[in-house]
Amino acid sequence: MAAQNEPRTEPRIPLSRERVLRAAVDVADEGGIESLTMRRLAEVLGAEAMSLYYHVANKDKVLDGIVDVIAEEINDVVDRIDVPSKGADWKKAMRQRILSARAVLLRHPWAPGVLPSRATTSPAIVQYFDALVGLMRDGGFSYDLAHHALHALGSRALGFTQELFDPGDGTGDQDPAALESMADRLPHLVGMLAEVAHDDPDSTLGWCDDQTEFEFGLDLILDGLDRMRETV
Amino acid sequence: MAAQNEPRTEPRIPLSRERVLRAAVDVADEGGIESLTMRRLAEVLGAEAMSLYYHVANKDKVLDGIVDVIAEEINDVVDRIDVPSKGADWKKAMRQRILSARAVLLRHPWAPGVLPSRATTSPAIVQYFDALVGLMRDGGFSYDLAHHALHALGSRALGFTQELFDPGDGTGDQDPAALESMADRLPHLVGMLAEVAHDDPDSTLGWCDDQTEFEFGLDLILDGLDRMRETV
DNA sequence: ACCTGAACACCGTTCAAGT
DNA sequence: ACCTGAACACCGTTCAAGT
């Protein structure tokens, strides 16, 4: 319609590693991680897919990069936390930090799926864990116990868990006959579901990882560590 | 070289869903999950990729299927376990079952990466969790506490954890200057690594998920649950 | 009923070429 | 220095066609 050398309405911002990564986070936030392709990413940036390779080595580095972006976002939040952590206070400080990290991840639902494979390569995540060890040291942990604690917390240290199996699943749309045969094969689960009012369907981070269950597991571990704290 | 209608040395076993899934497990075991493509799977079976679609709907169903195969393998193993589980014995019974499940997963290193996304759809895994709830009931758990317990255990209930960050990583090939700047930025981790003899590099399930750390975290949770067992 | 060839719509990525 | 067009080697999958 318009003339062929129409003046650009937007003067075309040049690409950069930072722009590419920020756009990648946006794409993943909006369309899920499987929607993040080099071609789609380029499209969002108003460029060709091949142009991205001038700023990032390949797609793997993009994934490393967006994990690091999120980890920096977490660090920005938790570094602003300034509560006492000496002695018995370690637990409250740790708890608050982990729940704050979780709040960030809730805004990036793709992150828990991508983090496990790239966390080790993210400097920001290493920084985060360094701070956690610092809190435990404040609480009187030996390095050895702090090390065990990191392993025991696993992904919970960053605010999420990998739930394997949603106990509230698969009973929704069943006819009575199927339900009865299920009661035969799965007596304990059926009993559990009948009693546990699983009517709180705000699954947050996917995987039925809802807030109260997350906190239950977190407190279980933190309490256990707290008991070991002074004996080791 | 040979005549064109040479008699087949092997009379060509017909495909079937079971053969496809078993071959898929083999491919993933040997080459990793990323090596499992429909074309490679067909090749292993001496067929064309398109022939697979007669026996499985699509690749997603193949992934669902191989998870179920592994879950059945786990059930076969744990169902042979027959130890007392009444009262205080629940913990030993649970522990043994989970560690046995872990032993199976150690033979299929790709499984922990695939399980989280498909566990809910595997009947065999649902069956596994039903048995776990049964053990906890034997131990006197309320359904409510058993439900919390499943969430608290998460993937640990099946014998693996998602480690985010290997505390023994990234210090191997560093020049002294880099090490010193690292000590500035990561004082606690550097201190921890200096003290914790992390010279046990038999990472088993990837993710630095080594056996003693797994058992430490598992016992921490089981002990915590055991304490709640009679008060709730 | 079971299998296949050709083809399609997608990937990530290379490389020589443009400005 | 930064970007791109054409092309390559791979995917999963459809569909009409073979036995």
Side-chain angles (χ1 to χ4, degrees):
Chain A
M1 296 44 172
Q4 61 204 40
N5 53 1
E6 175 178 14
R8 294 208 126 67
T9 52
E10 305 170 40
R12 164 79 116 142
I13 313 155
L15 293 178
S16 70
R17 189 184 128 86
E18 284 65 38
R19 270 196 81 208
V20 169
L21 294 184
R22 261 202 298 271
V25 169
D26 290 345
V27 169
D29 284 351
E30 276 160 42
I33 195 68
E34 71 281 0
S35 78
L36 178 60
T37 68
M38 297 301 271
R39 282 170 166 88
R40 169 90 185 107
L41 182 51
E43 190 188 353
V44 160
L45 288 162
E48 298 301 315
M50 306 75 204
S51 310
L52 302 176
Y53 288 86
Y54 192 83
H55 300 94
V56 292
N58 51 41
K59 189 178 178 179
D60 257 36
K61 300 295 182 187
V62 174
L63 294 177
D64 286 346
I66 58 175
V67 161
D68 206 47
V69 166
I70 302 307
E72 277 168 13
E73 192 180 335
I74 289 175
N75 283 340
D76 285 349
V77 171
V78 300
D79 286 351
R80 260 182 262 127
I81 298 174
D82 186 27
V83 296
S85 55
K86 285 286 168 207
D89 283 336
W90 81 274
K91 198 169 68 175
K92 262 188 291 192
M94 189 98 155
R95 189 177 198 278
Q96 187 176 346
R97 212 155 294 226
I98 290 174
L99 293 181
S100 299
R102 175 177 176 82
V104 172
L105 289 183
L106 287 171
R107 297 200 293 267
H108 307 287
W110 51 270
V114 182
L115 271 162
S117 53
R118 355 285 296 189
T120 311
T121 69
S122 161
I125 286 193
V126 177
Q127 202 67 55
Y128 176 83
F129 276 94
D130 186 74
L132 285 193
V133 175
L135 290 185
M136 291 190 274
R137 293 293 285 173
D138 287 346
F141 280 58
S142 70
Y143 279 125
D144 193 53
L145 184 57
H147 176 245
H148 286 315
L150 288 190
H151 281 288
L153 285 165
S155 71
R156 247 194 200 90
L158 260 164
F160 70 97
T161 59
Q162 207 81 313
E163 299 277 345
L164 272 180
F165 159 65
D166 181 343
D169 236 48
T171 38
D173 39 86
Q174 305 271 349
D175 60 296
L179 245 173
E180 194 169 337
S181 99
M182 202 168 87
D184 286 347
R185 292 189 340 272
L186 307 170
H188 305 107
L189 283 181
V190 168
M192 191 177 84
L193 287 172
E195 188 169 304
V196 178
H198 213 276
D199 48 7
D200 184 28
D202 3 70
S203 235
T204 45
L205 269 177
W207 311 316
C208 183
D209 183 6
D210 114 298
Q211 187 73 18
T212 58
E213 298 301 340
F214 181 83
E215 295 187 17
F216 177 89
L218 177 60
D219 289 334
L220 191 66
I221 294 174
L222 293 182
D223 288 345
L225 292 170
D226 196 46
R227 254 187 301 271
M228 296 178 171
R229 176 169 70 96
E230 292 180 317
T231 65
V232 178
Chain B
M1 295 43 170
Q4 62 202 39
N5 53 1
E6 176 178 15
R8 293 207 127 68
T9 54
E10 306 170 38
R12 161 79 114 153
I13 314 156
L15 293 177
S16 70
R17 189 183 129 84
E18 284 66 39
R19 271 196 79 208
V20 169
L21 294 183
R22 260 202 299 272
V25 169
D26 289 345
V27 169
D29 284 351
E30 276 159 43
I33 195 68
E34 70 282 1
S35 77
L36 178 59
T37 67
M38 298 301 270
R39 283 169 165 89
R40 169 91 185 107
L41 183 50
E43 190 189 353
V44 160
L45 289 163
E48 298 301 316
M50 305 76 203
S51 311
L52 302 176
Y53 289 86
Y54 192 83
H55 300 93
V56 292
N58 51 41
K59 189 179 179 180
D60 257 36
K61 299 296 181 186
V62 173
L63 294 177
D64 286 346
I66 59 176
V67 162
D68 206 47
V69 166
I70 302 307
E72 277 168 11
E73 192 180 335
I74 288 175
N75 283 341
D76 285 349
V77 171
V78 300
D79 285 351
R80 262 182 261 126
I81 297 174
D82 186 27
V83 296
S85 55
K86 286 286 167 205
D89 283 336
W90 81 274
K91 198 170 68 174
K92 262 189 291 190
M94 189 98 155
R95 190 178 198 277
Q96 186 176 347
R97 213 154 294 227
I98 290 175
L99 293 180
S100 299
R102 177 177 174 81
V104 172
L105 289 183
L106 287 171
R107 297 200 293 268
H108 307 287
W110 50 270
V114 181
L115 270 163
S117 52
R118 357 282 297 189
T120 311
T121 68
S122 160
I125 286 193
V126 178
Q127 203 66 57
Y128 176 84
F129 276 93
D130 187 74
L132 285 193
V133 174
L135 290 184
M136 290 190 274
R137 293 292 284 172
D138 288 347
F141 281 57
S142 70
Y143 278 126
D144 192 52
L145 183 57
H147 176 246
H148 286 316
L150 288 190
H151 281 288
L153 284 165
S155 71
R156 249 196 199 87
L158 259 163
F160 71 97
T161 58
Q162 207 82 313
E163 299 278 346
L164 271 181
F165 160 66
D166 181 344
D169 235 48
T171 40
D173 39 85
Q174 305 270 351
D175 60 297
L179 244 174
E180 194 168 338
S181 99
M182 201 167 89
D184 286 346
R185 292 190 337 275
L186 308 169
H188 305 107
L189 283 180
V190 168
M192 191 177 83
L193 286 171
E195 188 169 303
V196 178
H198 213 275
D199 49 7
D200 184 28
D202 2 74
S203 235
T204 45
L205 268 177
W207 312 315
C208 184
D209 182 5
D210 115 297
Q211 187 71 20
T212 58
E213 298 300 341
F214 181 84
E215 296 188 17
F216 176 89
L218 177 60
D219 288 336
L220 192 66
I221 294 173
L222 293 182
D223 288 346
L225 293 171
D226 197 45
R227 252 186 302 270
M228 296 178 172
R229 175 170 71 97
E230 295 180 317
T231 64
V232 179

